[in-house]
Amino acid sequence: MAEIATSPTYRRAGGIRRLLERYPFLPALAIVLVLLALNGFFSPNSLSYRSLTGLLSTYMALILLAIAQTYVVYAGDIDLSAGSILSLVNVAIVVLMERWGGGAGAVLLALALGLLLGLACGLVNGLVVAALRLQAIVATFATSIFFTGLALYILPVAGTPAPTIFWRTYGGRLLGLPFVFYILAGLVLLLLVLGRTRLTTQLLAVGDDQQAAFQTGLPVVSIRIRGYLLCGLFSALAAFCITGDTASGDPLVGGKMTLFSVAAVVLGGSALSGGWGTVVGSLLGALTIGLISSVVFFMGTPSEWQNFVQGLAILVVLMAGVLAGRRARP
């Protein structure tokens, strides 16, 4: 047994596990790099500065929604209403901007109210799941229908345009750099600040063992509610990005994005059972989904087969990421 424990193969395996324990997003990063290489192989122009900027701009909303999902997954919960919150905030801010004239002041005020609306939706989910102790997957499925209904009431038909100043700013440049880079920088700063707070550690502790967390004196209900508040906040931020990218309001725009956000969280190395994960991995997981879509398109896949091939590719990548992530978990 001593010979096995001190063998180079055993030490190498232990070193890889320690590396994955410290940086659980490494498998997702490796997958992103492989997909970038495949994109470059099938379409060299896809790796140009302009193309990569466009990719980031298009998938920034999914990145934010995946991060939103991560904070509830930390605690062992899930939010199937994240995409519906995005849709609700999207139509709310577009309608408010239009009614208030579409000027800079109207845009800023609408965005502020959009953040409050996202937080309110997160609070509703938190109270229903944590305080009333309903199953998260069932409760948030129900609230997703409720939020979608509100979005359809506010804007029954898609197509209301966002103010020109809003979408031109999102897709434009500031001081020579694409505006989306400033959004990414602000996101990184926000995540660094949140990472230094006790809330992230508390969410992970609750997800690891809720009963043990309660016995140590942690306010489990309050912590889970705050996780849903963060989810609502980031879902609202995702709505701002999808509005800037599409330049319009659509009450059903977030429909597919909820499940994509869950897939991105898993691709990023987080455990849906809670207690293990990283927002960096979720960010990379969202980029993975975007890059898979690009590869499928650049391969020249017929349109009727694109969804099938994309789903199969996501499944394969998901399996690879999960298998790699299992080696990192204690």
Side-chain angles (χ1 to χ4, degrees):
M1 292 298 292
E3 291 179 1
I4 295 175
T6 57
S7 67
T9 303
Y10 184 87
R11 288 198 300 269
R12 184 162 58 250
I16 293 173
R17 176 165 183 159
R18 286 193 297 271
L19 187 64
L20 291 174
E21 285 178 357
R22 187 171 183 181
Y23 305 107
F25 58 84
L26 285 180
L29 178 60
I31 292 170
V32 166
L33 293 176
V34 170
L35 289 171
L36 281 172
L38 287 174
N39 271 274
F41 176 78
F42 288 111
S43 177
N45 289 334
S46 67
L47 297 183
S48 66
Y49 175 76
R50 183 175 180 178
S51 295
L52 292 177
T53 301
L55 180 73
L56 182 62
S57 178
T58 299
Y59 287 97
M60 182 57 71
L62 181 58
I63 288 172
L64 285 163
L65 204 65
I67 291 171
Q69 195 73 245
T70 306
Y71 285 108
V72 291
V73 168
Y74 275 173
D77 291 318
I78 197 168
D79 189 353
L80 295 185
S81 71
S84 298
I85 296 174
L86 180 151
S87 299
L88 177 58
V89 174
N90 164 250
V91 298
I93 63 174
V94 166
V95 168
L96 289 175
M97 289 175 188
E98 181 191 37
R99 290 186 178 180
W100 292 341
V107 168
L108 292 176
L109 182 56
L111 293 180
L113 292 176
L115 288 177
L116 291 177
L117 180 58
L119 287 170
C121 292
L123 179 60
V124 169
N125 282 331
L127 291 174
V128 170
V129 173
L132 297 182
R133 300 183 181 181
L134 299 181
Q135 285 288 338
I137 193 170
V138 177
T140 57
F141 174 71
T143 57
S144 73
I145 299 173
F146 175 71
F147 296 147
T148 300
L150 285 179
L152 287 167
Y153 175 77
I154 294 172
L155 189 66
V157 180
T160 299
T164 303
I165 188 175
F166 184 79
W167 60 263
R168 279 190 176 175
T169 299
Y170 181 80
R173 291 175 174 268
L174 180 63
L175 301 177
L177 289 175
F179 189 75
V180 70
F181 285 4
Y182 293 97
I183 297 175
L184 182 61
L187 175 62
V188 171
L189 181 61
L190 179 58
L191 293 178
L192 287 174
V193 172
L194 287 173
R196 292 181 176 273
T197 64
R198 291 185 300 173
L199 180 58
T200 299
T201 305
Q202 291 173 338
L203 285 168
L204 289 169
V206 170
D208 186 51
D209 191 331
Q210 189 173 136
Q211 186 63 32
F214 178 77
Q215 291 174 349
T216 58
L218 287 177
V220 173
V221 172
S222 174
I223 290 169
R224 293 174 69 193
I225 289 176
R226 279 179 278 173
Y228 276 104
L229 284 172
L230 280 178
C231 184
L233 175 66
F234 278 98
S235 297
L237 293 174
F240 298 168
C241 292
I242 202 72
T243 305
D245 186 55
T246 62
S248 64
D250 183 349
L252 302 177
V253 70
K256 286 185 177 180
M257 294 180 69
T258 298
L259 295 182
F260 277 151
S261 71
V262 175
V265 169
V266 178
L267 283 169
S270 296
L272 287 181
S273 57
W276 182 268
T278 165
V279 290
V280 176
S282 298
L283 186 154
L284 293 170
L287 286 177
T288 297
I289 292 174
L291 289 169
I292 287 174
S293 299
S294 298
V295 169
V296 170
F297 176 78
F298 291 136
M299 285 172 58
T301 308
S303 58
E304 63 269 20
W305 285 97
Q306 285 185 6
N307 284 340
F308 173 80
V309 176
Q310 182 183 356
L312 182 62
I314 291 175
L315 180 61
V316 171
V317 171
L318 190 62
M319 290 170 60
V322 168
L323 290 174
R326 283 178 181 174
R327 299 188 63 180
R329 293 170 199 164

